[in-house]
Amino acid sequence: LIPFCRGEGKSESQSDVDVWEILRKAPPSEYEKIAFQYGITDLRGMLKRLKRIKKEEKKSTAFLKKLDPAYQVDKGQKIKLMVEVANPDADVKWLKNGQEIQVSGRYIFESVGNKRILTINHCSLADDAAYECVVGDEKSFTELFVKEPPILITHPLEDQMVMVGERVEFECEVSEEGATVKWEKDGVELTREETFKYRFKKDGKKQYLIINESTKEDSGHYTVKTNGGVSVAELIVQEKKLEVYQSIADLTVKARDQAVFKCEVSDENVKGIWLKNGKEVVPNERIKISHIGRIHKLTIEDVTPDDEADYSFIPQGFAYNLSAKLQFLEVKIDFVPREEPPKIHLDCLGQSPDTIIVVAGNKLRLDVPISGDPTPTVIWQKVNKKTDLIRSNEDSKTPSENGSDLNTDSKLLFESEGRVRVEMHEDHCVFIIEGAEKEDEGVYRVIVKNPVGEDKADITVKVIDVPDPPEAPKISNIGEDYCTVQWQPPKYDGGQPVLGYILERKKKKSYRWMRLNFDLLKDLTYEAKRMIEGVIYEMRVYAVNSIGMSRPSPASQPFMPIAPPSEPTHFTVEDVSDTTVTLKWRPPERIGAGGLDGYMVEYRKDGSTEWMPALPGLTERTSALIKDLVTGDKLHFRIKAVNVAGESGAAIIKDPVTVQEILQRPKIWLPRHLRQTLVKKVGETINIVIPFQGKPRPKIIWLKDGQPLDSKDVGIRNSNTDTILFIRKAELHHSGAYEITLQIENMTDTVAITIQIIDKPGPPHDVKLVDVWGFNAALEWSPPQDDGNAQILGYTVQKADKKTMEWYTVFDHYRRTNCVVSDLIMGNEYFFRIFCENLCGLSETAATTKKPAYIQKTGTTYKPPTYKEHDFSEPPKFTHPLVNRSVIAGYNTTLSCAVRGIPKPKIFWYKNKMDLSGDAKYRMSSKQGVLTLEIRKPTPFDGGCYTCKAVNECGEAEVECRLDVRGNQ
């Protein structure tokens, strides 16, 4: 399919690119590349059709304007093919692939004056064909190419990060089902021959690239290309590595309590096993094992002394062993005598009870053994550290000022109410917080009272959590494929030190975030690499402590990796005068996706460090004239290329440039082709450019044959570096020796040029017919008086018979001035003419002999022989007789035979000896000697003997047959 349209064909969707011309000019090696780029699906067929198109067509008498060689239209659009005919009343035919087109809803014929228009509506691929317009015997051909719309990528590829050995599946969606796409890895096409490694799949509009078992070598940038778009994604393949976000911790629990071991790892797909003293734990009604996302749990209900052991979690496929110990607490209360003051036995917990640490979201259960007789009353209070007030409703009836009791009477139980509650038992009380929160953190005071006395103890509860998400990271130092990411620590670290950070990246239009690091980042900056220049990205960061990973930070501001261009190349000084410096350079070797906005030229004086702009703003040219400089200053120059990413490095001229006109000796650089005589024809244009050097600007003097040139006849134009001699139409008098002189003060340089203007010569002079003998004639002539200012290269001799006066060349490029013309025909008279020839060609006229040369006949007389005329006459003879026949009544039948005779015989038909000539029921015919008698709807009465008789002046002949007619049953 070729996007091409010109002339009178008008398409509703026209392409900006003339691929037809691109293919005509491109070498054959580029055909396939152009075909893929512009969506040409039938390249071979298209090239065959191109060869059939004639480059030059003869002038037509039936057409004023023919069809163009080719037209292009988008699929589904309409197009008009138009010709102009010479005769407004002429009828035309339109053909498609040689078949005439009939009028229909899709094909419409129009005739407007001399114009004939074929309109094709809703073009489809079936309309991609060769079309002809026929007027009489003349035809006009064209090709119509129906172009399918470009295939767009509607859903781009996504970046992916996998582990070694995992399956990779790149997926994109295009605008058309079953479209042809091209896959590349790091710029190298992935071919079907590599099916052992890559698998290509199509599913409707979706296209897939599948790598079953990825390796480290598969990392890179993968590209999918169509004729309407490109999508790039990055694949990062990492060695398998597991990260432990939260390990299991030692537990101390009492009888009938719940023990929960919990850990969190980086991969939610990793499974594992739990061990008790080295043996695998088997789940049952009391022991539960769960795996939800990245969190693995072992829950033991109603703990017994037998549950005290070392517990371990081993992730499958990794050399990790997360261990913790479960201690069983057996509460022992000594005998308390009657009327004993209350006492809190915190030392029975087996560990320092000053600080209790709980992970946010987990359940806090604090068992406090107590004693006393009578049974003491238990009061729990939370201490406000800022005001050192104890929140208790015993001190004040206003809870908002002094505090509030969690429980003020041991008889008041909270067994099934509230998130924070107290449970009372005979020998201990239990403080419970369901789903600990940050607000639950603080100092809790427990007071026990009875009539004998009271006791109290303070317990600090610390709630630890994952950190808060950091603020959105900031992007700086953006380069071609890298950038620097900076962020600040989270405002709240969750009560545990931040161990590090995890960074993720995604494309702006994508939904998939890709992790950039597996090892935690300790610093607050990171240099992200391996990005694609020109693609918009976003970054976000997670904070990680011993509890786990925070929620992600807000995404950074979108940014595009883009780099400044490299510095300009070949930066040199082209010219220097007293007040100006001319600089020139070439574009940078690398420009990148940011393009090139222009160049910034700067200079500084020798000994100074301050660079000043040499031009106002940027220049897009690759040369610059720096004006208004101070004569004698020594200046350093530098140049930078600039685009949206910033400035490139500077290209600097090493040595300082002195602003001063340099005296340069005049020198003419005469072109090689002018070192010999320049030959031109009369009427041609002469444009001679002679470069020179010399400073200051030299004085230029032109002379012809020692005389100054006439400015009205010859044009002279001078510049700082060359001088031009211009003659619009050369004449013979322009021939001569031209001298150019350059003069600077007392220094000169001179060169000479010889110009020869030539014209066609005149005819030869004094042509004579010297002698005629036999079949020969001898001629002589003299050279022409006007040789056209060029050497005569030869003569052309022609002869003509006096009867026809048609001229035929006898000799061409003949150098002598006499010749003998042979092989003349006896009895004819001949004239001869001669042309002169030089570099311009043959003379306009020829010199012709005044008298003809007569070739005399010999005395022999021709007597033609006499022949007797042959008699071709013969009597009639039947070469094929009549045949007996039996036919059914009611159906036409024929009787046939063949006859020969000269002159042509006269034919008579008979039935039972009766002449049938006047009977309308019988029709007789004769064609090429074959005789036929047709009997129309015979009846049984028509049966009998039929005779055919042939008669001419040489004799007669007859033949007969029998016809039986059967009744129709």
Side-chain angles (χ1 to χ4, degrees):
L1 303 176
I2 302 181
F4 174 82
C5 188
R6 64 182 184 185
E8 295 296 331
K10 295 183 180 179
S11 168
E12 294 181 358
S13 175
Q14 294 188 0
S15 175
D16 295 333
V17 181
D18 191 348
V19 181
W20 181 275
E21 292 299 327
I22 293 176
L23 284 169
R24 280 188 170 181
K25 297 176 182 178
S29 60
E30 298 289 326
Y31 284 164
E32 290 193 4
K33 180 179 178 182
I34 296 171
F36 182 84
Q37 183 177 358
Y38 295 100
I40 301 171
T41 56
D42 185 14
L43 180 59
R44 285 187 180 177
M46 181 272 299
L47 292 176
K48 288 180 180 178
R49 284 195 272 178
L50 285 180
K51 290 182 180 179
R52 293 200 301 264
I53 296 176
K54 298 179 180 180
K55 295 182 180 178
E56 296 182 3
E57 296 184 359
K58 295 181 180 179
K59 191 171 181 180
S60 171
T61 57
F63 291 96
L64 297 177
K65 187 171 186 179
K66 289 192 172 185
L67 296 168
D68 281 341
Y71 297 90
Q72 175 270 333
V73 64
D74 286 340
K75 182 179 177 182
Q77 303 297 322
K78 77 174 182 180
I79 191 170
K80 293 186 177 182
L81 308 180
M82 190 188 78
V83 297
E84 291 186 21
V85 295
N87 182 5
D89 300 324
D91 293 329
V92 301
K93 289 183 181 180
W94 291 92
L95 307 181
K96 173 185 174 183
N97 288 336
Q99 301 294 322
E100 185 173 356
I101 302 174
Q102 303 298 328
V103 178
S104 65
R106 292 184 59 246
Y107 298 102
I108 300 174
F109 302 146
E110 296 179 72
S111 176
V112 182
N114 291 77
K115 295 181 179 180
R116 301 294 184 269
I117 303 171
L118 168 63
T119 302
I120 306 175
N121 293 314
H122 306 294
C123 290
S124 64
L125 294 181
D127 296 317
D128 188 282
Y131 290 83
E132 302 172 43
C133 181
V134 181
V135 179
D137 296 332
E138 292 196 29
K139 300 179 181 180
S140 177
F141 297 89
T142 189
E143 296 277 346
L144 176 61
F145 298 97
V146 180
K147 176 192 171 189
E148 293 187 90
I151 298 170
L152 305 177
I153 298 178
T154 56
H155 190 282
L157 299 175
E158 301 279 358
D159 293 336
Q160 297 198 40
M161 176 180 287
V162 297
M163 297 295 180
V164 171
E166 290 184 348
R167 185 175 184 269
V168 179
E169 184 176 288
F170 284 106
E171 175 188 340
C172 73
E173 188 173 326
V174 296
S175 58
E176 187 170 328
E177 293 187 5
T180 300
V181 302
K182 182 165 70 173
W183 291 92
E184 293 181 356
K185 177 182 181 291
D186 295 330
V188 179
E189 183 177 359
L190 304 178
T191 61
R192 299 285 178 183
E193 287 74 16
E194 300 178 86
T195 50
F196 68 95
K197 181 68 178 176
Y198 304 103
R199 188 159 65 91
F200 307 99
K201 178 182 169 186
K202 296 180 181 179
D203 184 7
K205 295 182 179 181
K206 293 184 178 181
Q207 302 275 344
Y208 298 90
L209 170 64
I210 300 172
I211 306 173
N212 288 321
E213 293 186 5
S214 58
T215 63
K216 291 282 288 183
E217 290 73 22
D218 293 325
S219 296
H221 289 95
Y222 288 79
T223 306
V224 60
K225 292 183 177 180
T226 69
N227 62 349
V230 176
S231 179
V232 183
E234 183 180 5
L235 173 63
I236 297 178
V237 183
Q238 295 279 359
E239 295 288 350
K240 284 190 176 181
K241 188 174 182 181
L242 191 67
E243 202 171 326
V244 179
Y245 292 154
Q246 180 182 354
S247 184
I248 58 178
D250 294 338
L251 296 177
T252 301
V253 295
K254 291 175 58 180
R256 299 178 62 187
D257 284 352
Q258 181 190 65
V260 180
F261 290 103
K262 183 177 75 171
C263 65
E264 184 178 0
V265 295
S266 58
D267 191 347
E268 61 183 21
N269 297 320
V270 170
K271 299 179 180 180
I273 59 173
W274 291 89
L275 303 179
K276 175 184 177 182
N277 291 334
K279 295 183 179 179
E280 185 174 353
V281 176
V282 178
N284 53 35
E285 293 181 357
R286 194 171 61 87
I287 300 175
K288 308 293 183 183
I289 295 176
S290 65
H291 172 203
I292 301 174
R294 298 188 299 228
I295 298 176
H296 297 259
K297 279 186 181 181
L298 172 63
T299 305
I300 305 174
E301 303 286 351
D302 299 329
V303 175
T304 64
D306 292 338
D307 294 323
E308 187 175 62
D310 290 329
Y311 289 86
S312 302
F313 176 73
I314 300 178
Q316 289 183 357
F318 297 92
Y320 282 96
N321 189 345
L322 310 179
S323 301
K325 188 171 184 179
L326 175 64
Q327 291 184 347
F328 181 78
L329 175 63
E330 185 175 352
V331 180
K332 296 179 180 180
I333 303 177
D334 296 335
F335 174 75
V336 180
R338 307 295 290 180
E339 297 292 332
E340 182 71 19
K343 185 175 179 62
I344 301 172
H345 301 273
L346 290 179
D347 54 345
C348 295
L349 296 176
Q351 59 182 0
S352 175
D354 294 340
T355 302
I356 304 297
I357 298 176
V358 61
V359 177
N362 288 359
K363 177 181 179 181
L364 172 63
R365 180 186 176 95
L366 184 58
D367 293 81
V368 180
I370 59 175
S371 63
D373 192 17
T375 301
T377 300
V378 180
I379 301 171
W380 284 86
Q381 298 172 331
K382 186 174 182 181
V383 178
N384 190 330
K385 294 183 179 180
K386 293 183 179 180
T387 61
D388 200 24
L389 292 175
I390 298 176
R391 294 188 289 178
S392 172
N393 61 1
E394 290 189 352
D395 297 335
S396 173
K397 293 184 179 179
T398 307
S400 62
E401 294 180 359
N402 292 331
S404 62
D405 284 346
L406 299 173
N407 187 8
T408 59
D409 190 346
S410 61
K411 294 181 181 179
L412 186 59
L413 302 179
F414 294 86
E415 292 181 357
S416 60
E417 295 183 15
R419 187 177 62 85
V420 182
R421 64 184 184 272
V422 175
E423 296 178 357
M424 289 303 303
H425 300 274
E426 183 179 352
D427 56 353
H428 69 283
C429 67
V430 182
F431 178 59
I432 298 174
I433 301 177
E434 295 283 356
E437 298 176 354
K438 181 71 172 62
E439 292 74 14
D440 297 326
E441 193 174 76
V443 178
Y444 290 84
R445 179 170 295 170
V446 57
I447 302 174
V448 292
K449 295 180 181 181
N450 69 3
V452 181
E454 70 175 41
D455 192 10
K456 63 181 179 180
D458 290 342
I459 301 173
T460 301
V461 175
K462 184 177 182 181
V463 181
I464 59 177
D465 198 357
V466 296
D468 286 347
E471 294 182 355
K474 297 181 179 180
I475 311 299
S476 61
N477 191 27
I478 300 174
E480 179 182 5
D481 61 349
Y482 62 88
C483 71
T484 300
V485 188
Q486 296 176 315
W487 62 92
Q488 296 299 322
K491 294 181 179 180
Y492 172 60
D493 61 4
Q496 294 289 94
V498 176
L499 302 179
Y501 299 90
I502 293 173
L503 197 63
E504 289 185 338
R505 178 190 78 201
K506 80 172 183 69
K507 296 175 183 176
K508 173 69 175 175
K509 296 182 179 180
S510 173
Y511 298 99
R512 177 178 293 181
W513 289 91
M514 189 172 69
R515 188 169 172 177
L516 298 184
N517 62 295
F518 280 90
D519 297 328
L520 293 178
L521 301 174
K522 305 298 183 182
D523 299 328
L524 299 176
T525 61
Y526 180 76
E527 185 176 355
K529 298 180 179 179
R530 293 176 59 84
M531 289 183 284
I532 303 170
E533 186 178 7
V535 176
I536 301 176
Y537 290 94
E538 293 176 334
M539 295 280 187
R540 71 182 183 185
V541 65
Y542 296 83
V544 181
N545 64 7
S546 59
I547 303 303
M549 191 165 62
S550 71
R551 297 192 309 276
S553 70
S556 67
Q557 289 293 326
F559 67 95
M560 180 188 295
I562 197 169
S566 59
E567 65 273 5
T569 58
H570 300 86
F571 184 40
T572 57
V573 177
E574 186 176 27
D575 192 17
V576 180
S577 71
D578 286 340
T579 57
T580 64
V581 174
T582 303
L583 306 173
K584 67 177 181 179
W585 60 90
R586 291 184 183 177
E589 293 181 354
R590 184 187 59 79
I591 295 177
L596 189 63
D597 294 340
Y599 302 94
M600 181 172 62
V601 184
E602 297 177 316
Y603 72 91
R604 67 174 176 86
K605 294 184 179 180
D606 193 20
S608 173
T609 59
E610 180 183 0
W611 289 92
M612 294 176 289
L615 298 172
L618 303 178
T619 178
E620 296 181 359
R621 298 184 177 183
T622 54
S623 63
L625 175 63
I626 315 302
K627 301 179 181 179
D628 302 328
L629 301 177
V630 179
T631 303
D633 281 355
K634 291 185 177 181
L635 303 177
H636 294 267
F637 290 92
R638 73 179 184 185
I639 185 172
K640 298 178 182 178
V642 181
N643 68 2
V644 293
E647 303 173 358
S648 70
I652 302 176
I653 297 176
K654 295 182 179 180
D655 299 324
V657 179
T658 303
V659 183
Q660 183 177 0
E661 187 78 66
I662 301 172
L663 185 63
Q664 188 178 32
R665 189 176 188 87
K667 175 65 177 176
I668 299 175
W669 302 103
L670 189 63
R672 186 180 300 275
H673 70 281
L674 296 177
R675 297 177 186 175
Q676 54 191 2
T677 300
L678 178 64
V679 179
K680 291 285 184 179
K681 296 180 181 179
V682 170
E684 289 185 342
T685 299
I686 300 176
N687 189 25
I688 300 174
V689 181
I690 301 176
F692 60 80
Q693 68 180 29
K695 292 184 180 179
R697 181 172 177 172
K699 181 180 179 182
I700 304 169
I701 303 171
W702 281 84
L703 300 175
K704 177 179 179 290
D705 298 330
Q707 300 297 323
L709 291 178
D710 184 1
S711 59
K712 296 180 181 179
D713 194 27
V714 178
I716 301 293
R717 287 178 287 193
N718 300 322
S719 69
N720 292 332
T721 56
D722 56 38
T723 178
I724 300 174
L725 171 70
F726 180 77
I727 302 175
R728 188 174 300 276
K729 287 186 178 182
E731 302 291 344
L732 290 175
H733 66 269
H734 290 136
S735 301
Y738 291 78
E739 187 178 275
I740 308 102
T741 302
L742 295 185
Q743 182 176 352
I744 300 177
E745 298 179 355
N746 59 347
M747 297 178 291
T748 61
D749 188 23
T750 302
V751 296
I753 300 173
T754 302
I755 298 177
Q756 180 181 357
I757 308 300
I758 62 175
D759 197 1
K760 293 182 178 180
H765 181 60
D766 194 17
V767 178
K768 295 179 181 179
L769 180 61
V770 178
D771 193 9
V772 177
W773 71 98
F775 305 103
N776 308 302
L779 303 174
E780 279 187 359
W781 63 89
S782 301
Q785 295 178 350
D786 178 15
D787 60 2
N789 200 26
Q791 180 182 359
I792 298 299
L793 300 179
Y795 302 91
T796 297
V797 181
Q798 295 181 338
K799 67 178 179 180
D801 188 346
K802 185 179 179 181
K803 298 177 183 177
T804 63
M805 289 306 293
E806 293 182 3
W807 294 96
Y808 297 93
T809 299
V810 179
F811 301 106
D812 56 358
H813 309 300
Y814 189 78
R815 293 186 171 273
R816 298 180 183 179
T817 56
N818 55 77
C819 70
V820 175
V821 180
S822 303
D823 299 328
L824 300 176
I825 298 174
M826 184 181 300
N828 288 357
E829 293 182 86
Y830 291 91
F831 286 97
F832 301 93
R833 69 181 183 184
I834 303 171
F835 293 90
C836 289
E837 184 180 6
N838 65 3
L839 288 174
C840 277
L842 296 177
S843 58
E844 296 285 350
T845 59
T848 308
T849 55
K850 296 179 180 179
K851 295 181 180 181
Y854 176 69
I855 309 303
Q856 293 183 355
K857 298 180 180 180
T858 58
T860 305
T861 303
Y862 174 72
K863 293 183 179 180
T866 58
Y867 299 97
K868 184 179 180 180
E869 186 176 355
H870 180 71
D871 184 10
F872 289 96
S873 61
E874 63 173 326
K877 180 182 179 182
F878 284 94
T879 58
H880 188 79
L882 291 172
V883 179
N884 294 333
R885 296 198 61 186
S886 176
V887 300
I888 298 174
Y891 294 94
N892 291 0
T893 187
T894 58
L895 303 177
S896 299
C897 61
V899 69
R900 182 179 68 192
I902 300 175
K904 184 177 179 181
K906 192 174 182 180
I907 307 300
F908 302 94
W909 286 91
Y910 302 92
K911 174 193 171 189
N912 297 330
K913 305 300 181 178
M914 298 293 293
D915 190 2
L916 302 177
S917 301
D919 195 338
K921 186 170 185 176
Y922 302 94
R923 185 166 60 184
M924 306 160 197
S925 63
S926 174
K927 187 175 182 181
Q928 302 292 331
V930 177
L931 311 178
T932 304
L933 173 66
E934 181 180 358
I935 307 172
R936 300 177 181 179
K937 296 183 180 180
T939 63
F941 175 76
D942 293 318
C945 181
Y946 285 81
T947 304
C948 180
K949 184 177 182 180
V951 180
N952 68 2
E953 59 188 34
C954 295
E956 61 180 37
E958 63 180 31
V959 64
E960 63 182 22
C961 71
R962 182 158 191 85
L963 175 67
D964 293 329
V965 180
R966 304 192 305 274
N968 189 354
Q969 299 178 0

